[in-house]
Amino acid sequence: MEGQDKFYHRIRNEGIRWNHKRIQRVYRLLGMNKRKRTRKRIPARVKQPLLIPTQPNETWSMDFMHDSLMNGRKFRVLNVIDDYNREILKIEPYFSINSDKVVKILERIILEKGKPAAIRVDNGPEFISSILHDWCLDKGIRLQFIQPGKPMQNGYIERFNKSFRQDVLDANLFENLTEVKIASDEFEEDYNHHRPHESLGNVSPVNYRLKQIA
């Protein structure tokens, strides 16, 4: 073991004449052979204003929500919206989701909606991973992080999460993930096409986008 060898040479240089076996025994008794867990340090995040986009795909917001089925099994929901008109781009429930799945979901959205200039996220492990970072770099997408502990810097999707929590997650008891998906799809259809949004002049996200294009 590299650490043990360094320890051996260190005490030998100090004049202590212990052999390898004795050093190994003490090394293990002290637990020095166990790998130390280190927390991944998050780089300093600069506060960025929550600007109002002037066109679709200027900025997307992405976030996770948590809940559980009736049997107690926990699941997660990945929400992605377009900040321009608050349109739901995807609601994806999973028992387990990693950075690879996040990238695949984003690729499917891009095929349908086009590529965003930026995606705003928090500092969750799936978002700070090298997989998502490298993918965004390759696609020319700016990954915009909020400051830790400042969820309102991602205010658009935080407000959406509140509506989704109230109307779907807290309003239903789910036996399986399929039921979560069905309820989420129904909510997405109504929210995008029919639900008035006060900040959009009381029209739905889709109607707002069509109105602006016209």
Side-chain angles (χ1 to χ4, degrees):
M1 290 178 285
E2 183 181 351
Q4 180 183 308
D5 290 340
K6 287 184 177 180
F7 187 64
Y8 169 78
H9 291 298
R10 182 184 182 94
I11 69 170
R12 296 284 289 190
N13 290 337
E14 293 176 359
I16 302 174
R17 298 301 175 184
W18 288 5
N19 61 30
H20 273 95
K21 288 185 178 180
R22 188 174 184 183
I23 291 173
Q24 185 182 65
R25 186 166 63 252
V26 174
Y27 191 81
R28 289 179 174 175
L29 283 172
L30 292 175
M32 298 175 70
N33 59 320
K34 296 178 180 178
R35 183 184 295 272
K36 293 182 180 179
R37 292 186 178 182
T38 57
R39 294 186 63 183
K40 189 171 183 179
R41 297 188 64 182
I42 298 173
R45 306 300 189 193
V46 178
K47 182 178 180 180
Q48 301 184 47
L50 194 64
L51 302 175
I52 300 175
T54 58
Q55 58 186 348
N57 293 336
E58 191 171 323
T59 309
W60 293 358
S61 291
M62 182 163 60
D63 196 19
F64 280 106
M65 299 185 71
H66 304 259
D67 211 309
S68 58
L69 302 178
M70 292 176 62
N71 61 12
R73 187 174 183 183
K74 299 184 184 299
F75 65 88
R76 308 176 73 195
V77 181
L78 176 66
N79 295 330
V80 188
I81 67 170
D82 189 325
D83 293 351
Y84 169 69
N85 61 339
R86 322 300 195 271
E87 182 177 355
I88 301 170
L89 302 177
K90 188 61 66 175
I91 302 175
E92 286 281 356
Y94 285 95
F95 287 124
S96 176
I97 183 168
N98 55 25
S99 299
D100 285 317
K101 285 183 180 178
V102 171
V103 166
K104 289 177 182 178
I105 291 168
L106 291 174
E107 287 178 339
R108 293 202 303 268
I109 301 174
I110 288 173
L111 285 175
E112 181 182 352
K113 299 292 186 178
K115 186 181 71 173
I119 302 177
R120 184 184 294 104
V121 295
D122 62 20
N123 296 276
E126 299 83 4
F127 300 150
I128 65 175
S129 75
S130 59
I131 294 173
L132 182 60
H133 173 271
D134 293 345
W135 179 82
C136 286
L137 196 63
D138 180 65
K139 297 291 184 180
I141 299 171
R142 187 173 75 259
L143 204 53
Q144 185 174 318
F145 291 96
I146 65 172
Q147 293 176 306
K150 305 289 185 180
M152 285 316 298
Q153 291 180 11
N154 206 359
Y156 293 130
I157 202 161
E158 287 295 330
R159 284 193 286 271
F160 167 78
N161 287 348
K162 182 179 179 181
S163 297
F164 182 70
R165 169 72 64 187
Q166 177 180 309
D167 293 354
V168 179
L169 298 181
D170 288 350
N172 297 278
L173 294 174
F174 300 109
E175 291 188 355
N176 52 61
L177 211 59
T178 300
E179 292 183 356
V180 181
K181 179 63 176 172
I182 292 172
S184 299
D185 288 346
E186 291 175 351
F187 176 82
E188 179 179 330
E189 172 68 19
D190 179 70
Y191 186 96
N192 281 345
H193 294 272
H194 307 292
R195 183 168 177 158
H197 203 295
E198 186 176 349
S199 64
L200 302 178
N202 290 313
V203 299
S204 70
V206 169
N207 287 336
Y208 178 83
R209 174 167 49 82
L210 294 174
K211 181 180 179 181
Q212 297 304 309
I213 293 173

